[in-house]
Amino acid sequence: MTQLTHPTSSPSRPHPAGPDATQHAIVIRQLTKHFRRRDGSTVPAIDGADLHIESGEFVVLLGPSGCGKTTLLRSVAGLETPDSGSIAVGGVTVFDGEAGIDVGPERRELSMVFQSYALWPHMTAAQNVRYPLENQRGPRQSRSQMNERVTEALTAVGIGDLGGQYPNQLSGGQQQRVALARALVNNSTVVLFDEPLSNVDAKVRETLRVELLAMQRRLGFTALFVTHDQAEAMELATRIAVLDRGQVQQFGTPDEIYARPATEYVAKFIGNTNELPGTRVAGGYETPVGLVRTPEDAGEQATVLFRPEHARLSTEQPATASALPGRVVAVLFMGTHTEFLVRSGETRMRIWVSGRSTDFAEGDEIWVGLQEQDVMVFASHPGQSARPEDDAR
């Protein structure tokens, strides 16, 4: 397969960033952005965000609707103007609120793949991909050079034979590949992705994830990718930034985010959890289903969490750190695992067993066993208000 290559150096640009920023593809420091509501009040879409993204990383901005991930991505692209803070791309400051720097999107030397793909309907796939080359700053390439680059880009994304097709003649997956080829054709070393896989069906989405990741590894560009899909984030990312109400709650590898969440919000947003209110006692926390031993003390009142796959079911009381009694009320075969719904008093727990399991049936009295290291505990904040509905994007 023909491979696109990236230049070893880029043309000089104004506003060189400090020495720390030059070691990273993207550096975001204390970025803030507020939107004004119709009633005149303001809401923070980005609230003091800090991210240092290394060259060649695949970083995913993950969170629910309204958490600020799209606004953060658009700020890096230059499509939103933050209120304060700074952004450096490739060692060059492209935004600094205090210094009054705001480099236009066309001068930030990055590319973007939009959710809607943003393809020109009156242009063929090849013409769409060639468009950035025809409109780039600096010396213009010859038509033969541009055609060669377009062919390389289309071939690299696996649609080298579809250059003559118009967007309405292409499937959603093929349109996505055209958009990606257009982003890569001018040798951008940083590519931004705004939920580019959300418009294709689940099976195609899985295929495109694998292809996108392989392509990113092969070509070596830095990717900043927005999604609300946890599985997508876990599969693609070298590191994940979990956002909530404009703030980066945690920035780490998928394993760190899943196994060692920094906050209760991250623990409950990533993956599935069983949640129990707890009151501190000697050795752990007393919950509605019994004593749960925890690896740390989170205060007098806490939320105790554990993941469905970390518990073990048995008919006899287990010798684990925690043993919780219950009764099986439902058995659901999910393909990769069997889910047992276990009720203890007014509390319902979800327990997963790998593959198809017929060891327990509805109505069975059982025990749920937990090891101390598999339990997460976070201080409770009863007075904390619920997440407000706001205009953050």
Side-chain angles (χ1 to χ4, degrees):
M1 176 180 290
T2 304
Q3 294 189 14
L4 293 168
T5 56
H6 291 291
T8 55
S9 62
S10 57
S12 60
R13 291 177 289 167
H15 315 306
D20 177 56
T22 62
Q23 306 303 314
H24 300 83
I26 303 173
V27 173
I28 299 169
R29 290 194 182 95
Q30 287 298 299
L31 206 68
T32 63
K33 170 69 177 179
H34 289 75
F35 287 114
R36 186 172 297 278
R37 288 173 167 165
R38 292 181 179 178
D39 62 4
S41 62
T42 60
V43 59
I46 311 173
D47 188 6
D50 276 295
L51 289 175
H52 289 213
I53 300 171
E54 297 177 8
S55 297
E57 276 200 286
F58 199 121
V59 169
V60 173
L61 303 179
L62 177 66
S65 297
C67 72
K69 57 187 184 295
T70 297
T71 301
L72 183 55
L73 186 83
R74 289 172 59 85
S75 295
V76 174
L79 302 177
E80 296 280 1
T81 302
D83 300 327
S84 62
S86 66
I87 303 170
V89 177
V92 175
T93 299
V94 295
F95 175 81
D96 190 315
E98 185 175 349
I101 297 170
D102 189 8
V103 176
E106 74 283 355
R107 298 180 60 220
R108 296 197 177 191
E109 295 196 3
L110 45 74
S111 296
M112 187 164 179
V113 178
F114 294 90
Q115 183 176 6
S116 63
Y117 310 139
L119 301 178
W120 297 103
H122 63 286
M123 293 182 180
T124 64
Q127 290 170 333
N128 267 283
V129 175
R130 188 165 58 239
Y131 185 81
L133 300 177
E134 294 174 333
N135 292 273
Q136 67 183 6
R137 295 183 301 114
R140 184 184 176 95
Q141 300 179 43
S142 68
R143 179 158 294 276
S144 63
Q145 288 175 319
M146 285 191 286
N147 288 340
E148 183 179 354
R149 293 294 302 165
V150 169
T151 299
E152 289 178 356
L154 289 171
T155 302
V157 299
I159 52 171
D161 58 338
L162 298 179
Q165 302 296 302
Y166 288 90
N168 64 1
Q169 298 173 316
L170 301 172
S171 68
Q174 291 168 338
Q175 291 181 38
Q176 194 270 344
R177 296 177 202 217
V178 174
L180 180 56
R182 183 179 57 188
L184 298 174
V185 72
N186 60 358
N187 281 332
S188 294
T189 56
V190 176
V191 183
L192 312 181
F193 297 87
D194 185 10
E195 301 199 59
L197 307 182
S198 61
N199 290 335
V200 296
D201 62 64
K203 202 66 179 178
V204 174
R205 189 181 307 128
E206 290 178 6
T207 301
L208 289 177
R209 282 180 199 163
V210 175
E211 293 182 0
L212 175 59
L213 188 58
M215 198 179 313
Q216 188 265 342
R217 295 289 189 269
R218 184 175 70 249
L219 300 177
F221 61 85
T222 303
L224 185 59
F225 189 103
V226 162
T227 185
H228 61 272
D229 188 318
Q230 300 171 32
E232 194 163 85
M234 298 290 282
E235 184 173 347
L236 290 173
T238 54
R239 286 194 292 171
I240 299 171
V242 183
L243 278 77
D244 179 37
R245 289 181 284 191
Q247 296 182 341
V248 179
Q249 297 291 314
Q250 188 170 358
F251 187 34
T253 66
D255 179 68
E256 291 169 344
I257 296 289
Y258 189 81
R260 297 181 295 281
T263 66
E264 181 181 342
Y265 170 82
V266 174
K268 292 160 69 172
F269 184 76
I270 301 293
N272 293 274
T273 57
N274 291 293
E275 178 180 349
L276 303 169
T279 300
R280 183 172 57 193
V281 295
Y285 283 85
E286 189 63 42
T287 75
V289 297
L291 172 64
V292 177
R293 300 192 180 278
T294 59
E296 55 190 15
D297 185 341
E300 186 66 27
Q301 300 295 321
T303 301
V304 177
L305 303 172
F306 66 93
R307 301 203 183 276
E309 69 271 24
H310 289 160
R312 296 294 178 266
L313 295 180
S314 60
T315 54
E316 301 293 332
Q317 184 170 350
T320 51
S322 304
L324 313 175
R327 181 170 57 87
V328 177
V329 295
V331 180
L332 308 172
F333 178 58
M334 310 299 289
T336 58
H337 64 272
T338 301
E339 179 172 307
F340 293 90
L341 299 182
V342 177
R343 184 174 292 279
S344 181
E346 296 301 313
T347 301
R348 191 182 68 173
M349 296 174 282
R350 302 167 62 189
I351 311 300
W352 293 351
V353 176
S354 180
R356 179 184 289 277
S357 174
T358 58
D359 294 340
F360 310 96
E362 292 184 21
D364 285 355
E365 299 292 334
I366 52 83
W367 290 87
V368 176
L370 290 172
Q371 298 293 351
E372 188 172 318
Q373 67 268 20
D374 292 326
V375 177
M376 300 172 283
V377 58
F378 299 95
S380 295
H381 302 286
Q384 185 175 347
S385 61
R387 178 187 293 110
E389 294 182 4
D390 54 39
D391 302 318
R393 289 175 283 167

